[in-house]
């Protein structure tokens, strides 16, 4: 893929501000400028950013309905009512259920958890689950990461004598379900200062409020922060504000004393003995938790997350690892089929969006396929399959474009939909697909900006190899954890050369292992360029080129850094 490089050089005022801030915090102007770009302009703000404190978490009772939710939970426990903790079958839902269940189980035994079957029940609150709850005398359901649009289902639950506390973070409709309490920072009337919690984060705030109300020390909640970190990384929510605090301390927990279930997943991922990062969660831990709900039933993932016996957990972890291998095979086949369809469409036209339907595609994997197509073609993408006689699917978006609004504009054609800016689930009658495709594509055509349909790399700073040293790398690590709104810093160095030892590597010779020098220093830096073997011939031609990269640990030589090269372009002017 060819990227457009975006770089805004700092103004003289910004350079002065970065120099002054850098002197105050004992770091280079490069780091100080990165802080300023993130809105951190003072010494005190920088110190808070580098050391997120748990005592700076927002008072959970500022969230609408929190006092009502805590009162209802207290009443349920006092009356010894049966409580069900119910969640979505993705990472956010499973971790949220594990967090709330594990915490409450310490104080109350008449409690169970429930994850709906993706294939038998579908997303959100199912009638089957409500009937099961009624049969088992459940009086209170705490629902996590879904439920905000379950108006009819919660009405049915009310008739069965079952109360609901909704803990969700998806965008609500104008009408809210008739639940006892609705905890959602995206409510229109929300007074909560931070809007970007994930479902697990909302569950954590509920437990924080419950603990505070019942005089339970906050220290009892700290082991559960690992679930918040996993969820924040996997659900791709902004890692600023309260999410940064939760993710920072959740990673700390994951790296020091992980729970039995997550330790077992880390073992089968080959992460034992390594420092776990948000990237490890996104690419290794998260997909395995997700695979359970995609291929079988998400309940197995929660079983693993709440397991106390390590040998048992290891057996369960191997099982979900198998599901992940199966998922990879199905994912690969579906992506290849989808690519063939898109290639034909692109040759005929150049649409600003993609809408695909195939009744044979597996429902549990279409979200991944939508993500892959979005990344490859850089277009908002909807992928649909047939399930229970209707078209159901997932939508994914490109950076900066709100796909939720585009889907909402077609709501009269839909049976159901829900989600947020970059990811939406939806369903419709099969006969509505052509009109949905026409209307969706028209809306995207009219509202997407030209730069939102280009694959871009945002460059934080242009630096020379003489700037790249262990101190810079150590200071960069203090900016973690990374994710939306706090991405890993991306650098550019111009006029670099092959040191003479770069070579193509990989099973299919698809990567390049590089040793590079630039025109301004004698530093030789190692780099890896994944999937960019097409550039090898140019690199070996002894001409200069420009690179965009992140700075990483060299896993083979711990004392050295390695450049992870995102893109390579010939230098415009050789020096």
């Amino acid at each position: 893929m060819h990227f457009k490089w975006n770089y805004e050089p700092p103004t003289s005022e910004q350079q002065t501000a970065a120099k002054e801030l850098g002197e105050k915090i004992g770091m280079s102007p490069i780091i100080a400028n990165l802080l300023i770009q993130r809105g951190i302009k003072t010494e005190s703000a920088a110190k808070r950013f580098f050391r997120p404190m748990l005592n700076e978490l927002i008072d959970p009772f500022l969230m609408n309905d929190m006092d009502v939710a805590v009162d209802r939970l207290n009443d349920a426990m006092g009356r010894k009512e049966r409580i069900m903790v119910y969640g979505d079958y993705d990472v956010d839902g499973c971790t949220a259920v594990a967090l709330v269940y594990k915490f409450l189980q310490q104080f109350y035994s008449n409690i169970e958890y429930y994850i709906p079957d993706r294939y038998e029940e579908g997303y959100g609150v199912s009638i089957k689950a409500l009937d099961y709850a009624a049969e088992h005398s459940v009086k209170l359901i705490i629902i996590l990461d879904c439920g905000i649009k379950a108006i009819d289902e919660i009405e049915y639950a009310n008739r069965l004598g079952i109360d609901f506390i909704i803990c969700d973070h998806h965008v609500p409709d104008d009408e809210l379900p008739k639940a006892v309490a609705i905890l959602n920072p995206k409510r229109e009337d929300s007074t909560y200062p931070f809007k970007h919690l994930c479902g697990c984060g909302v569950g954590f705030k509920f437990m924080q409020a419950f603990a505070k109300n019942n005089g339970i020390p906050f220290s009892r909640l700290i082991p559960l922060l690992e679930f918040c970190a996993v969820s924040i990384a996997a659900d791709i929510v902004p890692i600023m504000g309260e999410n940064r605090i939760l993710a920072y301390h959740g990673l700390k927990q994951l790296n020091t004393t992980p729970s039995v279930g997550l330790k077992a997943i880390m073992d089968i991922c080959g992460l034992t003995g390594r420092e776990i990062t948000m990237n490890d969660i996104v690419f290794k831990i998260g997909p395995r938790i997700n695979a359970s709900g995609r291929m079988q039933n998400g309940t197995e993932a929660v079983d693993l997350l709440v397991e106390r016996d390590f040998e048992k957990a290891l057996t369960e972890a191997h099982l979900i690892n198998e599901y992940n291998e199966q998922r990879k095979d199905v994912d690969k086949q579906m992506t290849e089929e989808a690519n063939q369809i898109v290639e034909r469409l692109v040759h005929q036209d150049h649409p600003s969006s993609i809408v695909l339907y195939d009744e044979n595609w597996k429902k549990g994997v279409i979200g991944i396929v939508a993500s892959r197509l979005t990344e490859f073609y850089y277009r908002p993408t909807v992928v649909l399959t047939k399930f229970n006689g209707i078209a159901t699917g997932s939508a994914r978006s490109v950076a900066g474009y709100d796909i939720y609004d585009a889907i909402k504009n077609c709501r009269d054609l839909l049976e159901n939909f829900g989600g947020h800016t970059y990811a939406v689930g939806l369903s419709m009658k099969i006969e509505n697909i052509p009109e949905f495709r026409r209307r969706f594509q028209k809306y995207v055509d009219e509202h997407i900006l030209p730069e939102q349909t280009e694959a871009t790399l945002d460059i934080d700073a242009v630096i020379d190899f003489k700037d790249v040293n262990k101190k810079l790398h150590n200071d960069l690590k203090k900016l973690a954890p990374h994710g939306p709104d706090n991405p890993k810093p991306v650098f550019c160095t111009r006029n670099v050369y092959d040191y003479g030892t770069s070579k193509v590597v990989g099973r299919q010779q698809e990567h390049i292992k590089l040793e590079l020098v630039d025109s301004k220093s004698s530093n030789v830096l190692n780099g890896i360029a994944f999937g960019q073997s097409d550039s090898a011939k140019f690199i070996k031609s002894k001409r200069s080129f420009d690179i965009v990269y992140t700075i990483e640990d060299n896993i083979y030589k711990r004392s050295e850094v390695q450049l992870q090269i995102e893109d390579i372009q010939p230098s415009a002017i050789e020096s």
Side-chain angles (χ1 to χ4, degrees):
M1 179 185 288
H2 295 289
F3 291 93
K4 178 185 175 185
W5 295 5
N6 285 338
Y7 176 59
E8 291 252 346
T11 62
S12 56
E13 290 85 357
Q14 287 170 327
Q15 288 176 335
T16 302
K19 185 173 182 294
E20 289 174 358
L21 179 60
E23 287 170 356
K24 286 176 183 172
I25 62 175
M27 292 184 181
S28 73
I30 294 169
I31 299 290
N33 189 50
L34 293 170
L35 291 171
I36 290 167
Q37 288 172 15
R38 286 155 175 74
I40 299 154
K41 299 177 181 177
T42 65
E43 182 181 1
S44 60
K47 285 178 178 174
R48 283 199 307 277
F49 183 79
F50 287 136
R51 291 190 292 276
M53 305 293 283
L54 287 168
N55 61 14
E56 291 179 351
L57 288 171
I58 299 165
D59 180 354
F61 285 100
L62 291 178
M63 195 176 290
N64 303 52
D65 285 359
M66 186 62 84
D67 52 345
V68 181
V70 170
D71 285 347
R72 181 64 187 89
L73 178 55
N74 283 334
D75 287 347
M77 294 170 111
R79 294 196 291 254
K80 296 186 168 43
E81 292 175 348
R82 186 139 188 88
I83 299 171
M84 175 187 282
V85 184
Y86 186 114
D88 187 21
Y89 35 62
D90 69 358
V91 177
D92 193 12
C94 290
T95 52
V97 167
L99 185 152
V100 171
Y101 176 79
K102 277 187 84 169
F103 188 66
L104 292 181
Q105 198 192 29
Q106 299 173 78
F107 315 102
Y108 191 68
S109 60
N110 197 13
I111 186 169
E112 65 179 297
Y113 55 85
Y114 189 99
I115 304 290
D117 186 285
R118 185 191 290 261
Y119 298 98
E120 286 186 17
E121 298 167 82
Y123 173 79
V125 185
S126 79
I127 297 300
K128 178 184 174 183
L130 295 177
D131 289 340
Y132 168 88
E135 287 165 19
H136 290 79
S137 304
V138 170
K139 293 298 178 188
L140 175 64
I141 295 178
I142 300 168
I143 187 163
L144 298 136
D145 192 35
C146 53
I148 198 63
K149 293 192 173 186
I151 291 166
D152 294 341
E153 292 83 358
I154 289 177
E155 188 72 54
Y156 178 67
N158 291 338
R159 292 199 297 272
L160 293 173
I162 301 169
D163 285 341
F164 262 82
I165 295 171
I166 297 173
C167 303
D168 205 349
H169 70 123
H170 295 102
V171 180
D173 275 339
D174 295 335
E175 183 185 356
L176 296 174
K178 290 184 169 59
V180 168
I182 298 175
L183 308 178
N184 187 332
K186 290 195 179 81
R187 281 173 56 160
E188 276 285 320
D189 60 347
S190 176
T191 54
Y192 196 69
F194 186 71
K195 308 295 180 193
H196 305 294
L197 291 169
C198 57
C200 187
V202 178
F204 179 83
K205 298 306 294 185
F206 183 21
M207 293 302 95
Q208 184 188 0
F210 172 78
K212 188 174 182 180
N213 180 262
N214 286 280
I216 300 165
F218 183 83
S219 58
R220 299 284 291 270
L221 287 159
I222 291 174
L224 303 169
L225 288 168
E226 61 177 8
F227 294 127
C228 291
V230 170
S231 180
I232 287 165
D235 221 50
I236 318 178
V237 291
I239 306 188
M240 291 296 274
E242 191 160 41
N243 280 344
R244 179 170 173 81
I245 300 171
L246 295 171
Y248 179 91
H249 288 279
L251 277 177
K252 197 172 170 185
Q253 185 69 25
L254 209 52
N255 278 296
T256 52
T257 47
S259 62
V260 164
L262 283 170
K263 174 75 169 68
I265 298 174
M266 286 154 56
D267 276 14
I268 62 159
C269 291
L271 294 173
T272 304
R274 275 181 48 187
E275 184 180 356
I276 308 298
T277 65
M278 297 301 261
N279 251 20
D280 293 322
I281 296 170
V282 171
F283 293 108
K284 295 191 174 182
I285 297 171
R288 284 166 172 84
I289 296 172
N290 252 338
S292 182
R294 292 188 190 283
M295 307 306 293
Q296 291 294 327
N297 188 295
T299 303
E300 293 176 81
V302 181
D303 292 343
L304 170 56
L305 293 174
V306 301
E307 182 56 62
R308 295 177 182 177
D309 179 86
F310 186 69
E311 290 309 314
K312 233 173 138 182
L314 214 47
T315 302
E316 291 167 346
H318 280 291
L319 183 61
I320 68 166
N321 194 52
E322 268 303 307
Y323 294 152
N324 195 48
E325 292 304 312
Q326 294 167 23
R327 187 271 306 166
K328 284 181 188 174
D329 293 339
V330 174
D331 163 15
K332 185 181 177 188
Q333 181 188 336
M334 283 171 53
T335 301
E336 285 171 0
E337 291 171 7
N339 270 324
Q340 288 169 10
I341 299 169
V342 178
E343 285 297 327
R344 288 199 299 271
L345 293 173
V346 169
H347 284 309
Q348 294 163 14
D349 194 6
H350 195 64
S352 60
S353 61
I354 296 166
V355 179
L356 300 182
Y357 168 72
D358 188 309
E359 64 177 27
N360 297 313
W361 284 340
K362 190 171 178 70
K363 183 181 177 230
V365 184
I366 51 179
I368 298 175
V369 176
S371 294
R372 296 205 193 290
L373 294 176
T374 303
E375 288 166 14
F376 189 79
Y377 294 101
Y378 224 72
R379 301 284 185 272
T381 299
V382 181
V383 180
L384 301 159
T385 189
K386 186 177 181 180
F387 181 71
N388 286 345
I390 65 169
T392 185
S394 292
R396 297 290 184 270
S397 194
V398 295
Y401 185 73
D402 188 342
I403 202 168
Y404 185 87
D405 271 356
I407 301 283
K408 189 177 179 182
N409 183 64
C410 307
R411 67 184 306 160
D412 57 301
L413 299 170
L414 305 177
E415 297 296 298
N416 208 346
F417 76 103
H420 41 79
T421 304
Y422 295 122
V424 177
L426 68 161
S427 61
M428 70 190 81
K429 290 174 181 170
I430 291 168
E431 57 265 31
N432 287 351
I433 295 173
E435 179 61 12
F436 171 81
R437 180 184 284 116
R438 186 191 70 76
R439 291 240 313 259
F440 177 78
Q441 291 186 335
K442 183 173 185 289
Y443 187 91
V444 175
D445 283 342
E446 291 170 354
H447 293 84
I448 200 163
L449 301 173
E451 58 267 27
Q452 290 172 334
T453 60
E454 292 181 283
T456 57
L457 277 173
D458 292 323
I459 296 165
D460 291 289
V462 174
I463 61 176
D464 300 320
F465 280 180
K466 63 180 168 53
D467 300 313
V468 181
N469 52 41
K470 199 64 183 173
K471 175 162 178 18
L472 176 71
H473 185 37
N474 287 337
D475 287 345
L476 284 171
K477 286 181 180 179
K478 295 173 185 173
L479 296 171
H482 296 296
D485 286 8
N486 183 35
K488 181 166 278 195
V490 174
F491 300 103
C492 174
T493 299
R494 304 198 187 280
N495 294 304
V496 305
Y497 297 86
D498 174 28
Y499 187 61
T501 48
S502 299
K503 60 184 178 182
V504 175
V505 295
R507 285 182 187 173
Q508 298 175 319
Q509 300 285 283
E510 68 270 42
H511 314 308
I512 316 174
K513 190 174 185 304
L514 301 125
E515 285 193 318
L516 302 172
V517 291
D518 71 354
S519 56
K520 295 183 180 176
S521 72
S522 58
N523 281 11
V524 180
L525 292 179
N526 291 304
I528 183 76
F530 293 112
Q532 296 181 61
S533 57
D534 288 352
S535 297
K537 194 172 179 182
F538 180 85
I539 287 168
K540 299 303 284 184
S541 70
K542 298 187 179 176
R543 285 176 286 172
S544 74
F545 49 95
D546 302 341
I547 56 172
V548 174
Y549 56 91
T550 59
I551 300 173
E552 312 288 345
D553 279 314
N554 186 327
I555 58 171
Y556 300 107
K557 297 178 182 176
R558 290 284 182 184
S559 59
E560 294 181 11
V561 300
Q562 178 174 271
L563 311 184
Q564 183 164 312
I565 295 165
E566 304 296 328
D567 202 20
I568 299 167
Q569 291 184 7
S571 297
I573 301 169
E574 293 192 32
S575 59

